[in-house]
Amino acid sequence: MGEVDFKVLPWELFLYGVFIFLGLGSVFCLGFMRIFQGRVRMGVTLMSVSVVVFFVSYYFVNRWYF
């Protein structure tokens, strides 16, 4: 992998990553809680949406910045 130089990381990319992590992490946890409440279909839907949005955002961020 090598060393990562954080000095070249733009602030908007860093903040975008933080917001994506917080938002999708919250949605994923809500899905997990829904599964434990017995609402399995809604929980799986929330978890699936968060995973798909994560990969789409990862694709577009790597396409725009790298």
Side-chain angles (χ1 to χ4, degrees):
M1 294 266 306
E3 294 182 20
V4 177
D5 186 13
F6 288 109
K7 290 184 272 188
V8 298
L9 179 68
W11 275 106
E12 62 267 8
L13 180 61
F14 173 74
L15 292 175
Y16 181 76
V18 168
F19 291 139
I20 287 293
F21 181 77
L22 290 175
L24 293 181
S26 300
V27 172
F28 191 84
C29 288
L30 282 173
F32 202 67
M33 287 175 15
R34 294 287 184 222
I35 288 175
F36 278 124
Q37 290 176 349
R39 300 169 68 188
V40 175
R41 187 183 305 177
M42 187 63 179
V44 170
T45 303
L46 285 172
M47 293 171 87
S48 301
V49 166
S50 68
V51 169
V52 168
V53 169
F54 172 76
F55 283 116
V56 168
S57 65
Y58 180 79
Y59 171 74
F60 281 112
V61 165
N62 281 330
R63 195 167 161 219
W64 290 330
Y65 286 102
F66 301 111

